[in-house]
Amino acid sequence: MSGVWVLIVVALPLIGLLVGAVIEVARRSDLTRLWKFVWLGALVLIPIFGLAFYIVVRPPRAEQVGGPTDVSNAEAIVILAERRQHGDLTEAEFHMELAAITSVD
Amino acid sequence: MVSRLKPAAPAALIGSGDVSAGVLTSMSRKDRFITKLVSFLTRAVYQDVEVYWTGPVPPDAPQLTVSNHFGGFADGLVMLNVMPRRPGIVARDVIWKIPVAGRLMNWIGGIPVHKPEDRGSATSNDEMFSSCYDALRGDGHILIFPEGVTRNEPSIAPVKTGAARIALGARTSGVECIQLLPVGIHYEDKAALRSRVFVNAGLPLDLDAAAEEFESSGNSVTANDRDAVRALTEEINVGLRRVAPDYENWEEAYALNRAAEIALRSQLDDPAGEVPPGLRDRLANTLADRPETSRNLITQAVGEYRQDLDGAGFSDAELNSALSTGHFMRSLVWQVVVAALLFPFALVGAAINFIPYLIVKAVGLLRVAPSVAASIKPVTAIAVFGITWGVVIWQSISNYGWVAGVAAFILLPVYLAATIAFLERVVRLWRGFRRWRAGSGVRAITDDVRTRRTAVVEAVLAE
């Protein structure tokens, strides 16, 4: 493999991941200062092994979109239909609330 | 049918993939490793796993999750990925007779259940009940597929009494506050790799509250109380049918899902956007519960509209959301830039993963039931990609030393992700091109077609 090719497909993503890991360790609130220092030291002094080890043992970052989401018209219609299905809304109430959301009644 | 499961709360949580606590989570090393492995495998096998939580689930209470079983092995993988707490999966003991699978099930805390129809199976399930009670006693979490079989129909099979007997038996043995959580798994195409999955988690049923109602009618509530078991099984049945796909037949499943998609597309904030599969599946679920006359009207309206669309050569998305030239050009430039950045990594990923991909494709050609395909395709993919990557890492170590091997271990998932992202971007670009090209044709479409579309929307919303 040529030097440029190795730089692009090997070094570049490794550097990107390494920088990402360093930023993540610095921002983590679940680590004590000592552990942050240990991890940052490992990532800087033995970058490849430190990065591999960090990737394996780091806790998963939750991807949950916390709390209520913005309710779009589409979402509001689905929620109305579910409330009707569960018996929380009568047919008349469903159509009244639906009319408030859409022009269809 | 009356159920204690209350209507959906509007304050719902939507997640994608790993749904757990809000930040970096604290869990045991084993749990952490399993979570990471399952998350990686799920991301490799599916394009997207969307999760909808109807309401909050008590994080520390003992939990018994019941789910539909349409995808075999895939169901276990998906549930392990989306559940905040790793469940012990109750599964048929035949799995333990497969050498590697048995060890794997033990490692992830599986609980074997014996069925009389499985030859060589034990005759008693006392051990299974006792394991489930132990798991729940420690505020643990177990997962049961109460239909007892994998399904190739778009409906829930009769729910068996096992889940109710476990829950009531655990309560009798002193476990309090058990939460019964119904969860529906919706596959876009369960036999395909890189399809999308929607997981619909309903509201948990508090077993203590339910049992008090049984007790007030003079019955003692134990796992041997037939009336209580029957009543609780019915609760589970109703809860599961609300969140999981449950249609009369495939034709109805197709029509109600298309109808839901068409109705929701008109209501999207961005008319060029895609209808989220989760919203579509949830609305279709409610349509499946409508009276037969309403369902027939919707099915008929969808059929007539589809005929017109086929004649015109457009899809509903193209008719409703044709892209303007400006929009398409902006999208084109952005997609090309991203694709160009991904290209070198995607090329390396394609070179490494092409042969395992072909093997998985070949397995997909086997004529087996979709639920079997949903099991063997991911298993094959995990095996062949795992072996290939093992060989690459071993070769890197042999030729360039340990540092290169560790770098390969880090980079192989990156290359695969880049290849998948690149190919999916190309597909998206092609779809965008079709919608842009459809622009002039759509303007020439007669009012009759649009009237048919309105009929579908009205059938969904007004019926």
Side-chain angles (χ1 to χ4, degrees):
Chain A
M1 285 199 286
S2 76
V4 176
W5 184 245
V6 171
L7 187 72
I8 291 173
V9 299
V10 178
L12 222 55
L14 283 175
I15 291 167
L17 289 170
L18 196 63
V19 171
V22 167
I23 293 171
E24 186 177 284
V25 169
R27 286 184 176 174
R28 274 176 65 174
S29 56
D30 60 325
L31 291 178
T32 60
R33 279 191 181 179
L34 177 66
W35 272 109
K36 281 189 183 188
F37 183 75
V38 170
W39 272 121
L40 290 173
L43 288 168
V44 172
L45 297 175
I46 41 167
I48 302 293
F49 287 93
L51 179 61
F53 194 57
Y54 182 73
I55 288 171
V56 171
V57 302
R58 72 182 274 276
R61 179 185 291 280
E63 294 184 356
Q64 179 172 327
V65 183
T69 54
D70 289 338
V71 179
S72 64
N73 265 11
E75 171 94 45
I77 287 170
V78 173
I79 290 170
L80 270 189
E82 286 175 337
R83 290 174 66 198
R84 176 175 67 173
Q85 180 195 26
H86 299 175
D88 196 33
L89 288 180
T90 63
E91 287 292 325
E93 287 168 337
F94 169 78
H95 287 296
M96 203 168 66
E97 292 204 25
L98 183 67
I101 301 172
T102 69
S103 56
V104 180
D105 61 17
Chain B
M1 208 175 289
V2 179
S3 167
R4 283 181 205 92
L5 292 174
K6 298 300 179 198
L13 306 174
I14 297 175
S16 172
D18 319 313
V19 176
S20 42
V23 286
L24 293 163
T25 55
S26 62
M27 51 175 80
S28 75
R29 277 187 188 165
K30 182 181 173 186
D31 277 351
R32 198 178 287 181
F33 182 72
I34 292 174
T35 303
K36 210 178 279 279
L37 185 66
V38 165
S39 168
F40 172 71
L41 294 176
T42 313
R43 280 163 198 246
V45 174
Y46 299 106
Q47 192 183 124
D48 184 39
V49 180
E50 182 187 344
V51 194
Y52 177 81
W53 298 91
T54 307
V57 180
D60 300 323
Q63 184 178 326
L64 196 162
T65 298
V66 290
S67 175
N68 59 311
H69 203 14
F70 290 6
F73 167 83
D75 294 334
L77 186 67
V78 168
M79 291 298 282
L80 280 174
N81 184 48
V82 303
M83 286 287 122
R85 281 189 293 161
R86 180 167 61 83
I89 302 176
V90 178
R92 286 169 81 157
D93 62 354
V94 287
I95 298 173
W96 272 260
K97 290 171 185 151
I98 306 166
V100 179
R103 279 170 181 259
L104 194 67
M105 288 301 281
N106 283 335
W107 184 57
I108 63 169
I111 301 169
V113 59
H114 314 297
K115 299 191 82 175
E117 59 263 41
D118 294 336
R119 278 186 296 175
S121 182
T123 50
S124 166
N125 272 314
D126 290 348
E127 202 179 323
M128 181 273 291
F129 277 102
S130 142
S131 299
C132 289
Y133 299 164
D134 287 345
L136 291 170
R137 193 169 293 120
D139 290 341
H141 178 197
I142 57 175
L143 165 66
I144 295 179
F145 300 106
E147 299 161 278
V149 287
T150 49
R151 290 281 285 171
N152 285 309
E153 299 302 316
S155 59
I156 303 292
V159 169
K160 297 185 175 169
T161 57
R165 283 159 54 213
I166 290 169
L168 290 172
R171 186 171 180 272
T172 307
S173 76
V175 185
E176 294 177 341
C177 304
I178 297 172
Q179 304 293 310
L180 279 160
L181 182 72
V183 175
I185 309 174
H186 301 244
Y187 293 97
E188 195 170 63
D189 180 354
K190 64 183 176 183
L193 278 182
R194 303 296 302 160
S195 74
R196 295 198 284 195
V197 186
F198 169 57
V199 179
N200 191 5
L203 283 179
L205 170 73
D206 187 291
L207 181 67
D208 289 348
E212 271 173 29
E213 280 196 30
F214 304 145
E215 281 165 352
S216 67
S217 59
N219 298 323
S220 60
V221 180
T222 69
N224 297 323
D225 183 331
R226 287 188 176 186
D227 289 341
V229 168
R230 199 176 298 129
L232 188 57
T233 301
E234 182 53 22
E235 295 283 355
I236 293 169
N237 179 44
V238 171
L240 196 55
R241 284 175 201 277
R242 279 187 180 162
V243 292
D246 191 33
Y247 304 99
E248 289 282 327
N249 49 48
W250 284 109
E251 189 191 355
E252 186 186 278
Y254 174 84
L256 297 187
N257 273 281
R258 289 293 75 77
E261 188 174 327
I262 291 163
L264 291 174
R265 182 168 286 119
S266 312
Q267 302 297 328
L268 290 180
D269 295 336
D270 172 15
E274 197 179 354
V275 177
L279 280 187
R280 179 199 60 207
D281 292 340
R282 282 167 59 201
L283 184 58
N285 255 26
T286 69
L287 298 178
D289 244 9
R290 301 296 296 151
E292 192 178 354
T293 47
S294 300
R295 299 201 311 268
N296 289 343
L297 196 73
I298 294 169
T299 305
Q300 189 187 343
V302 169
E304 288 171 356
Y305 177 51
R306 189 184 172 192
Q307 225 169 11
D308 280 6
L309 277 182
D310 287 349
F314 291 115
S315 68
D316 178 67
E318 290 164 355
L319 176 71
N320 198 52
S321 54
L323 285 182
S324 67
T325 302
H327 195 145
F328 173 65
M329 285 303 165
R330 278 195 299 278
S331 164
L332 178 72
V333 170
W334 173 244
Q335 303 278 7
V336 167
V337 167
V338 176
L341 290 173
L342 287 170
F343 183 72
F345 313 108
L347 198 63
V348 177
I352 293 169
N353 296 298
F354 186 62
I355 290 174
Y357 169 77
L358 283 185
I359 294 171
V360 176
K361 263 292 194 200
V363 168
L365 297 176
L366 294 174
R367 290 190 175 181
V368 291
S371 62
V372 177
S375 292
I376 60 172
K377 265 193 167 181
V379 170
T380 309
I382 290 164
V384 294
F385 280 94
I387 291 168
T388 307
W389 289 13
V391 169
V392 172
I393 292 170
W394 176 60
Q395 283 291 316
S396 303
I397 294 170
S398 304
N399 294 331
Y400 304 105
W402 278 97
V403 173
V406 176
F409 168 78
I410 297 170
L411 291 174
L412 282 167
V414 174
Y415 295 146
L416 179 65
T419 308
I420 290 168
F422 179 82
L423 293 174
E424 288 175 351
R425 211 153 281 275
V426 171
V427 170
R428 215 176 298 163
L429 202 58
W430 169 246
R431 284 186 186 152
F433 172 72
R434 270 184 59 91
R435 280 170 48 197
W436 168 67
R437 205 184 57 173
S440 57
V442 163
R443 281 187 284 278
I445 278 188
T446 63
D447 286 344
D448 284 352
V449 182
R450 294 185 193 282
T451 307
R452 294 243 198 252
R453 186 176 199 284
T454 307
V456 175
V457 176
E458 286 185 347
V460 171
L461 300 182
E463 279 299 318

